[in-house]
């Protein structure tokens, strides 16, 4: 039922996304039908999965494929609205913190977070990496009197 509802809700995005893709390129988070068929084929041919596990994986692939045009459309809206601004902005000397398990990387990240010279996305911003969405969220939260930090904390704890 969930897959059918999701497919119905995302169907307009299957129509809207391809024309924009001609001008702005294929969105990176969009699953192609060929990929979905290939993944389902792998699941069906697997000898190590029970029928229930196969069904769950097939439904997951269908659900992700059905909803991917929504993510693709969101990415394209960002391209339409912000591509010129993003292309003009240079990222100078990025710093990536990578570490082994249990090596104090969380403490290092918290220490770096105290310096205003560094910026980073929150976990929810990684899940929804669209500028226009966050501008709307900022407007909604600012109208309610909540600060950006409070909004970030709330979203990270509840989603």
């Amino acid at each position: 039922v969930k897959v059918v509802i999701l497919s119905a809700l995302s169907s307009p995005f299957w129509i809207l996304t391809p024309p924009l893709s001609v001008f702005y390129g294929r969105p990176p988070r969009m699953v192609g039908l060929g990929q979905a068929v290939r993944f389902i084929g792998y699941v069906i041919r697997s000898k190590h999965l029970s029928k229930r596990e196969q069904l769950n994986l097939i439904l997951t692939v269908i659900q992700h494929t059905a909803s991917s045009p929504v993510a693709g459309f969101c990415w394209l809206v960002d391209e339409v609205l912000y591509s010129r601004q993003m292309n003009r902005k240079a990222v100078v000397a990025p710093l990536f913190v990578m570490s082994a398990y249990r090596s104090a990387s969380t403490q290092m990240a918290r220490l770096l977070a105290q310096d205003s010279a560094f910026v980073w996305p929150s976990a929810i911003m990684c899940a929804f990496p669209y500028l226009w969405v966050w501008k709307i969220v900022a407007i909604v939260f600012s109208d309610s009197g909540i600060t950006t930090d409070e909004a970030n904390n709330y979203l990270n704890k509840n989603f």
Side-chain angles (χ1 to χ4, degrees):
V1 174
K2 181 180 177 183
V3 172
V4 173
I5 292 170
L6 190 59
S7 298
L9 291 174
S10 65
S11 61
F13 296 99
W14 281 97
I15 297 165
L16 294 170
T17 303
L20 286 172
S21 297
V22 170
F23 299 104
Y24 292 97
R26 185 174 181 269
R29 296 183 69 178
M30 202 162 154
V31 177
L33 293 176
Q35 288 175 303
V37 169
R38 189 173 65 245
F39 294 152
I40 290 171
Y42 293 151
V43 171
I44 291 171
R45 289 189 297 275
S46 173
K47 306 282 187 224
H48 306 290
L49 298 171
S50 70
K51 293 297 179 192
R52 183 183 189 117
E53 290 170 325
Q54 285 180 332
L55 180 61
N56 283 338
L57 281 172
I58 289 169
L59 289 174
T60 300
V61 168
I62 291 170
Q63 177 182 339
H64 187 69
T65 303
S67 65
S68 76
V70 176
F73 183 76
C74 290
W75 183 83
L76 288 168
V77 169
D78 258 9
E79 283 294 309
V80 169
L81 296 176
Y82 302 110
S83 63
R84 288 186 186 150
Q85 293 171 348
M86 289 189 291
N87 290 338
R88 283 192 301 238
K89 200 79 158 171
V91 177
V92 180
L95 174 65
F96 296 91
V97 177
M98 297 184 295
S99 65
Y101 177 70
R102 305 290 302 161
S103 63
S105 58
T106 302
Q107 285 79 3
M108 172 64 86
R110 287 181 181 150
L111 181 65
L112 291 172
Q114 293 176 1
D115 188 342
S116 62
F118 296 105
V119 295
W120 65 95
S122 64
I124 194 162
M125 287 178 175
C126 290
F128 301 100
Y130 313 110
L131 292 175
W132 65 272
V133 169
W134 293 109
K135 291 195 181 264
I136 291 171
V137 168
I139 291 167
V140 168
F141 278 108
S142 69
D143 286 347
S144 64
I146 298 174
T147 67
T148 305
D149 288 337
E150 291 170 337
N152 245 344
N153 291 334
Y154 174 80
L155 291 170
N156 280 323
K157 286 179 186 174
N158 293 297
F159 296 100

